[in-house]
Amino acid sequence: MQRRHLIQAAGALPALSLATLAARTAFAFDGPELYAGEKALYAEAQKEGLCVSFDTGPEWANWKSLALEKTRRRPQADTAYYFAASAVDAAKKDVVAPFKPVNFDKLPPVFREAEGRWFTIHTLNIAFLVNKKLVKNVPTGWADLLKPEFKSTVVYLDPRSTGIGQVLTFAAAYANGGSVDNVQPGIDYLGKLHAAGNVLRVEGTTPYAKFLKGEIPVWISYENDGLKAKHVDGMGDAVEVVIPKEASVAAPYAISLVKNGPNPNAGRLWLNFIMSEAGQSLFAQGFVRPAVPGTPLSADVAARMPAAPQIRPLDVVKASERKADVDRLWAQAALGK
């Protein structure tokens, strides 16, 4: 097994699991460098022989920096992958180290910590996942969902208990003249959606299985859920994945080099690969959008995720600071509490 194949197989990037990288590096460096200095770093990583990446397994939901904090005195991992809000928390707790991988400076400023203690490697974007067997006309934007024809059709996750719920509230805000600094337009929109009777229900956990079973006409969720349902889990052309035309937001998923990790050079090699053109393109094959702008994609992958300039990068620092307000205002607007 040669170098590129070794790293790609161990990372399992298309499956989004970033599982433990147990790469015993008894293999020679092959081919041209992906970036300047890769060969030298590979040699140092080869001496360590292993890179362990903390993540959350196949589900990767509700991940916090707790594991890193628990092992602060004797770190067990070299890198850690999580929703960027958890990365912010890890940086505050001083359990991650600064490292700027290749293409770091190409990321939007809100998608990276200034010194490289965390940086975004891919995004999940708010979209309408539409079951065309249950909906006559496919909605193209947020305004469409307010129409009478969408009565009792819309499902979304509770902003008080889910990250997706929080993110879609900010997406609705951008779509209605607001922003991460002014979420009220998003709250008002969701209130109108409920008042119109167009919300079928609000879920507390992801209803992916219900969507596959044909129980949800329109699900406001992440784009990759719809693409997976369409291309992997059998729904095919019954599913339309729509990035709403007014605006959407990109939720950043980040990675960090663990402070005092056991295999720092292997960790740096892994992070550089993830952020290289080769690594970023693998994310797109797994139905999520690469974080590095301009990552070249094959024609079939690009067709699944066409350019969507209306997607705004979410500032998770500001979004996290507003969580309590979102929880309170949403309950008032949507539930009358």
Side-chain angles (χ1 to χ4, degrees):
M1 183 182 289
Q2 294 182 320
R3 172 191 51 138
R4 302 288 198 279
H5 302 109
L6 178 69
I7 296 175
Q8 290 178 18
L13 285 172
L16 283 185
S17 69
L18 288 181
T20 299
L21 174 57
R24 300 293 178 182
T25 54
F27 305 99
F29 187 95
D30 67 288
E33 290 188 318
L34 294 175
Y35 50 87
E38 185 193 17
K39 188 172 184 178
L41 182 58
Y42 187 84
E44 294 302 311
Q46 203 169 26
K47 297 174 185 177
E48 296 166 351
L50 178 73
C51 174
V52 177
S53 181
F54 270 172
D55 71 339
T56 61
E59 298 301 325
W60 47 263
N62 300 319
W63 175 250
K64 305 295 181 186
S65 57
L66 179 62
L68 298 179
E69 190 172 20
K70 277 188 172 182
T71 59
R72 180 194 296 269
R73 295 180 64 183
R74 294 187 63 186
Q76 303 297 305
D78 303 299
T79 66
Y81 160 76
Y82 28 31
F83 180 54
S86 295
V88 172
D89 187 43
K92 289 179 180 177
K93 292 177 178 176
D94 195 30
V95 293
V96 291
F99 176 65
K100 297 180 180 180
V102 295
N103 294 320
F104 177 85
D105 291 334
K106 293 182 180 180
L107 297 175
V110 297
F111 276 3
R112 53 187 164 94
E113 194 269 339
E115 300 303 317
R117 289 177 177 82
W118 62 267
F119 44 89
T120 301
I121 55 178
H122 72 77
T123 65
L124 299 182
N125 308 292
I126 293 298
F128 301 161
L129 315 186
V130 184
N131 186 330
K132 293 191 290 186
K133 292 182 178 179
L134 304 177
V135 172
K136 181 179 180 181
N137 298 310
V138 175
T140 61
W142 297 90
D144 288 341
L145 293 184
L146 294 173
K147 296 177 180 178
E149 66 184 278
F150 291 101
K151 193 173 186 67
S152 298
T153 63
V154 179
V155 171
Y156 69 95
L157 272 74
D158 192 326
R160 299 169 299 178
S161 59
T162 69
I164 297 178
Q166 287 275 318
V167 174
L168 71 84
T169 304
F170 286 107
Y174 274 108
N176 290 276
S179 68
V180 72
D181 295 306
N182 176 23
V183 73
Q184 190 63 54
I187 296 292
D188 293 342
Y189 171 84
L190 293 174
K192 291 177 183 177
L193 200 63
H194 281 266
N198 290 6
V199 176
L200 177 61
R201 61 180 175 271
V202 175
E203 296 273 2
T205 58
T206 182
Y208 186 73
K210 296 177 183 177
F211 186 71
L212 291 181
K213 291 177 182 178
E215 298 175 6
I216 300 175
V218 179
W219 179 21
I220 306 175
S221 187
Y222 284 146
E223 176 185 31
N224 65 298
D225 285 326
L227 292 173
K228 185 171 180 286
K230 183 180 184 72
H231 297 288
V232 176
D233 290 334
M235 291 191 74
D237 290 339
V239 180
E240 188 81 16
V241 181
V242 179
I243 301 294
K245 61 184 179 182
E246 300 95 339
S248 180
V249 295
Y253 280 73
I255 203 164
S256 303
L257 184 68
V258 175
K259 187 175 183 180
N260 299 321
N263 309 292
N265 290 309
R268 294 183 182 97
L269 182 71
W270 173 229
L271 297 180
N272 273 335
F273 175 75
I274 288 172
M275 289 292 286
S276 72
E277 184 176 292
Q280 287 285 289
S281 66
L282 286 176
F283 280 115
Q285 294 176 33
F287 308 117
V288 298
R289 298 199 181 221
V292 177
T295 298
L297 305 177
S298 62
D300 61 325
V301 172
R304 294 173 180 175
M305 293 182 291
Q310 71 270 37
I311 297 176
R312 315 290 182 86
L314 182 64
D315 185 331
V316 294
V317 175
K318 289 184 176 181
S320 296
E321 292 171 349
R322 287 157 177 74
K323 184 183 186 310
D325 289 338
V326 171
D327 292 354
R328 175 178 54 83
L329 293 171
W330 178 84
Q332 291 173 356
L335 306 178
K337 295 182 178 180

